[in-house]
Coordinates of all heavy atoms in Angstrom, one line a residue:
Chain A
E66 N 23.6 -10.5 -12.0 CA 24.6 -9.8 -11.3 C 25.6 -10.7 -10.6 O 26.8 -10.4 -10.6 CB 23.9 -8.9 -10.2 CG 23.4 -7.6 -10.7 CD 22.8 -6.8 -9.6 OE1 22.5 -7.3 -8.5 OE2 22.6 -5.6 -9.8
S67 N 25.1 -11.8 -10.1 CA 26.0 -12.8 -9.5 C 26.9 -13.5 -10.5 O 28.1 -13.7 -10.3 CB 25.2 -13.8 -8.7 OG 24.4 -13.3 -7.8
I68 N 26.3 -13.8 -11.7 CA 27.1 -14.4 -12.7 C 28.2 -13.5 -13.2 O 29.3 -13.9 -13.4 CB 26.2 -14.8 -13.9 CG1 25.2 -15.9 -13.5 CG2 27.0 -15.2 -15.1 CD1 24.0 -16.1 -14.5
E69 N 27.9 -12.2 -13.3 CA 29.0 -11.3 -13.6 C 30.1 -11.2 -12.6 O 31.2 -10.8 -12.9 CB 28.4 -9.8 -13.8 CG 27.7 -9.7 -15.2 CD 26.9 -8.4 -15.3 OE1 26.8 -7.7 -14.3 OE2 26.3 -8.2 -16.4
R70 N 29.7 -11.6 -11.4 CA 30.7 -11.6 -10.3 C 31.4 -13.0 -10.3 O 32.2 -13.2 -9.3 CB 30.1 -11.3 -9.0 CG 29.9 -9.7 -8.8 CD 28.9 -9.4 -7.7 NE 29.3 -10.0 -6.5 CZ 28.5 -10.4 -5.5 NH1 27.2 -10.2 -5.6 NH2 29.0 -10.9 -4.4
G71 N 31.2 -13.8 -11.2 CA 32.0 -15.1 -11.3 C 31.2 -16.4 -11.1 O 31.8 -17.4 -11.2
A72 N 29.9 -16.3 -10.7 CA 29.2 -17.5 -10.4 C 28.9 -18.3 -11.7 O 28.8 -17.7 -12.8 CB 27.9 -17.2 -9.7
N73 N 28.9 -19.6 -11.7 CA 28.5 -20.4 -12.9 C 27.5 -21.5 -12.6 O 27.4 -22.4 -13.4 CB 29.8 -20.9 -13.6 CG 30.6 -21.8 -12.7 OD1 30.1 -22.3 -11.6 ND2 31.8 -22.1 -13.1
H74 N 27.0 -21.5 -11.4 CA 26.0 -22.6 -11.1 C 24.9 -22.0 -10.2 O 25.1 -21.6 -9.1 CB 26.8 -23.7 -10.3 CG 25.9 -24.9 -10.1 ND1 26.4 -26.1 -9.5 CD2 24.6 -25.2 -10.4 CE1 25.4 -27.0 -9.5 NE2 24.3 -26.5 -10.0
V75 N 23.7 -21.9 -10.8 CA 22.6 -21.2 -10.1 C 21.7 -22.2 -9.5 O 21.3 -23.2 -10.2 CB 21.9 -20.3 -11.1 CG1 20.7 -19.6 -10.4 CG2 22.8 -19.3 -11.7
F76 N 21.4 -22.0 -8.3 CA 20.3 -22.8 -7.6 C 19.1 -22.0 -7.6 O 19.0 -21.0 -6.9 CB 20.8 -23.2 -6.2 CG 21.7 -24.4 -6.2 CD1 23.0 -24.3 -6.4 CD2 21.2 -25.7 -6.0 CE1 23.9 -25.4 -6.4 CE2 22.0 -26.8 -6.0 CZ 23.3 -26.6 -6.2
Q77 N 18.0 -22.5 -8.3 CA 16.8 -21.7 -8.3 C 15.7 -22.6 -7.7 O 15.7 -23.8 -7.9 CB 16.4 -21.4 -9.8 CG 15.1 -20.7 -10.0 CD 14.9 -19.4 -9.3 OE1 14.9 -19.3 -8.1 NE2 14.8 -18.3 -10.1
M78 N 14.9 -21.9 -6.9 CA 13.8 -22.7 -6.3 C 12.6 -22.7 -7.3 O 12.3 -21.8 -8.0 CB 13.3 -22.0 -5.0 CG 14.3 -22.2 -3.9 SD 14.4 -20.7 -3.0 CE 15.2 -19.6 -4.1
G79 N 11.9 -23.9 -7.3 CA 10.8 -24.0 -8.2 C 10.0 -25.1 -7.7 O 10.3 -25.8 -6.7
G80 N 8.9 -25.5 -8.3 CA 8.1 -26.6 -7.8 C 7.3 -27.1 -9.0 O 7.3 -26.5 -10.1
I81 N 6.6 -28.2 -8.8 CA 5.9 -28.8 -9.9 C 4.5 -28.2 -9.8 O 3.8 -28.3 -8.8 CB 5.8 -30.3 -9.8 CG1 7.2 -30.9 -9.9 CG2 4.9 -30.9 -10.9 CD1 7.3 -32.3 -9.6
G82 N 4.1 -27.5 -10.9 CA 2.7 -27.2 -11.0 C 2.1 -26.2 -10.0 O 0.9 -26.2 -9.9
T83 N 2.9 -25.5 -9.2 CA 2.3 -24.6 -8.3 C 1.8 -23.4 -9.0 O 0.7 -22.9 -9.0 CB 3.2 -24.2 -7.2 OG1 4.4 -23.8 -7.8 CG2 3.5 -25.3 -6.2
C84 N 2.7 -22.7 -9.8 CA 2.3 -21.6 -10.6 C 3.5 -21.4 -11.6 O 4.3 -22.3 -11.8 CB 2.0 -20.4 -9.8 SG 3.5 -19.6 -9.1
R85 N 3.6 -20.2 -12.2 CA 4.7 -20.0 -13.1 C 6.0 -20.1 -12.5 O 7.0 -20.3 -13.2 CB 4.5 -18.6 -13.7 CG 3.5 -18.5 -14.8 CD 3.8 -17.3 -15.6 NE 3.4 -16.1 -15.0 CZ 2.9 -15.1 -15.6 NH1 2.7 -15.1 -16.9 NH2 2.5 -14.0 -15.0
A86 N 6.1 -20.1 -11.2 CA 7.4 -20.2 -10.5 C 8.1 -21.5 -10.9 O 9.3 -21.6 -10.8 CB 7.2 -20.2 -9.0
S87 N 7.3 -22.5 -11.3 CA 7.9 -23.8 -11.7 C 8.7 -23.7 -12.9 O 9.6 -24.5 -13.2 CB 6.9 -24.9 -11.8 OG 5.8 -24.4 -12.5
C88 N 8.5 -22.7 -13.8 CA 9.3 -22.6 -15.0 C 10.3 -21.5 -14.9 O 11.0 -21.2 -15.9 CB 8.4 -22.4 -16.2 SG 7.5 -20.8 -16.2
Y89 N 10.5 -20.9 -13.7 CA 11.5 -19.9 -13.5 C 12.9 -20.4 -14.0 O 13.6 -19.9 -14.8 CB 11.6 -19.4 -12.1 CG 10.6 -18.4 -11.7 CD1 9.5 -18.2 -12.5 CD2 10.8 -17.6 -10.6 CE1 8.5 -17.2 -12.1 CE2 9.9 -16.6 -10.2 CZ 8.8 -16.4 -11.0 OH 7.9 -15.5 -10.6
G90 N 13.3 -21.5 -13.3 CA 14.6 -22.1 -13.5 C 14.9 -22.4 -15.0 O 15.8 -21.8 -15.6
P91 N 14.1 -23.2 -15.7 CA 14.3 -23.6 -17.1 C 14.4 -22.4 -18.0 O 15.2 -22.3 -18.9 CB 13.2 -24.5 -17.4 CG 12.7 -25.1 -16.1 CD 13.0 -24.1 -15.1
L92 N 13.4 -21.4 -17.7 CA 13.4 -20.2 -18.6 C 14.6 -19.4 -18.4 O 15.2 -18.9 -19.4 CB 12.2 -19.4 -18.2 CG 11.0 -19.5 -19.2 CD1 9.8 -18.6 -18.6 CD2 11.4 -18.9 -20.5
Q93 N 15.0 -19.2 -17.1 CA 16.2 -18.4 -16.9 C 17.4 -19.0 -17.4 O 18.4 -18.3 -17.9 CB 16.3 -18.2 -15.4 CG 15.3 -17.1 -14.9 CD 15.1 -17.2 -13.4 OE1 15.4 -18.1 -12.7 NE2 14.5 -16.1 -12.9
R94 N 17.5 -20.4 -17.5 CA 18.6 -21.0 -18.1 C 18.7 -20.7 -19.6 O 19.7 -20.3 -20.1 CB 18.5 -22.6 -17.9 CG 19.7 -23.3 -18.5 CD 19.5 -24.8 -18.2 NE 18.3 -25.4 -18.8 CZ 18.2 -25.7 -20.1 NH1 19.2 -25.6 -20.9 NH2 17.1 -26.2 -20.6
L95 N 17.5 -20.7 -20.2 CA 17.5 -20.4 -21.7 C 18.0 -18.9 -21.9 O 18.7 -18.6 -22.8 CB 16.1 -20.6 -22.2 CG 15.6 -22.0 -22.4 CD1 14.2 -22.1 -22.8 CD2 16.5 -22.8 -23.3
I96 N 17.5 -18.0 -21.0 CA 17.8 -16.6 -21.2 C 19.3 -16.4 -21.0 O 19.9 -15.7 -21.8 CB 17.0 -15.8 -20.3 CG1 15.5 -15.8 -20.7 CG2 17.5 -14.3 -20.2 CD1 14.5 -15.2 -19.7
T97 N 19.9 -17.0 -19.9 CA 21.3 -16.7 -19.7 C 22.1 -17.4 -20.8 O 23.2 -16.9 -21.2 CB 21.8 -17.3 -18.3 OG1 21.2 -18.6 -18.1 CG2 21.3 -16.3 -17.2
E98 N 21.6 -18.5 -21.4 CA 22.3 -19.1 -22.5 C 22.4 -18.2 -23.7 O 23.4 -18.0 -24.3 CB 21.6 -20.4 -22.8 CG 22.4 -21.6 -23.3 CD 21.5 -22.8 -23.5 OE1 20.9 -22.9 -24.6 OE2 21.4 -23.6 -22.5
D99 N 21.2 -17.6 -24.0 CA 21.2 -16.7 -25.1 C 22.1 -15.5 -24.9 O 22.6 -14.9 -25.8 CB 19.7 -16.1 -25.3 CG 18.9 -17.2 -25.9 OD1 19.4 -18.2 -26.4 OD2 17.6 -17.0 -26.0
L100 N 22.3 -15.1 -23.6 CA 23.1 -14.0 -23.3 C 24.6 -14.3 -23.4 O 25.5 -13.5 -23.3 CB 22.8 -13.4 -21.9 CG 21.5 -12.7 -21.8 CD1 21.3 -12.4 -20.3 CD2 21.5 -11.4 -22.6
G101 N 24.9 -15.6 -23.6 CA 26.3 -16.0 -23.8 C 27.0 -16.5 -22.5 O 28.2 -16.6 -22.6
Y102 N 26.2 -16.7 -21.5 CA 26.9 -17.1 -20.2 C 26.9 -18.7 -20.2 O 25.9 -19.3 -20.7 CB 26.2 -16.6 -19.0 CG 26.2 -15.1 -18.8 CD1 25.0 -14.4 -18.9 CD2 27.3 -14.5 -18.6 CE1 24.9 -13.0 -18.7 CE2 27.3 -13.1 -18.4 CZ 26.1 -12.4 -18.5 OH 26.1 -11.0 -18.4
E103 N 27.9 -19.3 -19.7 CA 27.9 -20.7 -19.5 C 27.6 -21.0 -18.1 O 28.4 -21.0 -17.2 CB 29.3 -21.3 -19.9 CG 29.3 -21.8 -21.3 CD 30.7 -22.3 -21.6 OE1 31.2 -23.2 -20.8 OE2 31.3 -21.9 -22.6
V104 N 26.3 -21.3 -17.9 CA 25.8 -21.4 -16.5 C 25.0 -22.7 -16.4 O 24.3 -23.1 -17.2 CB 25.0 -20.2 -16.1 CG1 24.5 -20.4 -14.6 CG2 25.7 -18.9 -16.3
K105 N 25.3 -23.4 -15.3 CA 24.5 -24.6 -15.0 C 23.4 -24.2 -14.0 O 23.5 -23.4 -13.1 CB 25.4 -25.6 -14.3 CG 24.8 -27.0 -14.2 CD 25.8 -28.0 -13.6 CE 25.0 -29.2 -13.1 NZ 25.8 -30.0 -12.2
Y106 N 22.2 -24.8 -14.3 CA 21.0 -24.5 -13.5 C 20.6 -25.7 -12.7 O 20.5 -26.8 -13.3 CB 19.9 -24.0 -14.3 CG 19.9 -22.5 -14.4 CD1 20.7 -21.8 -15.3 CD2 19.0 -21.7 -13.5 CE1 20.7 -20.4 -15.4 CE2 19.0 -20.3 -13.6 CZ 19.9 -19.7 -14.5 OH 19.9 -18.3 -14.6
T107 N 20.3 -25.6 -11.5 CA 19.7 -26.7 -10.7 C 18.4 -26.2 -10.0 O 18.4 -25.1 -9.4 CB 20.7 -27.1 -9.6 OG1 21.9 -27.5 -10.2 CG2 20.2 -28.3 -8.9
N108 N 17.4 -26.9 -10.2 CA 16.1 -26.6 -9.6 C 16.0 -27.3 -8.2 O 16.2 -28.5 -8.1 CB 15.0 -27.1 -10.4 CG 14.2 -25.9 -11.0 OD1 14.2 -24.8 -10.5 ND2 13.6 -26.1 -12.1
I109 N 15.7 -26.5 -7.2 CA 15.5 -27.1 -5.9 C 14.0 -27.3 -5.7 O 13.3 -26.2 -5.8 CB 16.1 -26.3 -4.7 CG1 17.6 -26.1 -5.0 CG2 15.9 -27.1 -3.4 CD1 18.2 -25.3 -3.8
D110 N 13.5 -28.5 -5.6 CA 12.1 -28.7 -5.5 C 11.8 -29.7 -4.4 O 12.2 -30.8 -4.4 CB 11.6 -29.2 -6.9 CG 10.1 -29.3 -6.9 OD1 9.5 -29.1 -5.8 OD2 9.6 -29.7 -7.9
Y111 N 11.0 -29.3 -3.5 CA 10.7 -30.2 -2.4 C 9.8 -31.4 -2.8 O 9.7 -32.4 -2.1 CB 10.1 -29.4 -1.2 CG 8.6 -29.2 -1.2 CD1 7.8 -30.0 -0.4 CD2 8.1 -28.2 -2.0 CE1 6.4 -29.8 -0.5 CE2 6.7 -28.1 -2.1 CZ 5.9 -28.9 -1.3 OH 4.6 -28.7 -1.4

Side-chain angles (χ1 to χ4, degrees):
Chain A
E66 278 184 345
S67 301
I68 292 167
E69 279 169 0
R70 282 164 53 208
N73 60 14
H74 190 173
V75 179
F76 278 83
Q77 174 64 293
M78 286 139 292
I81 298 173
T83 50
C84 71
R85 278 203 284 217
S87 46
C88 66
Y89 276 19
L92 256 176
Q93 283 163 343
R94 182 176 61 79
L95 291 174
I96 291 170
T97 43
E98 213 174 86
D99 284 349
L100 288 173
Y102 297 114
E103 263 179 53
V104 183
K105 192 178 159 194
Y106 267 81
T107 305
N108 249 335
I109 305 183
D110 183 0
Y111 84 103

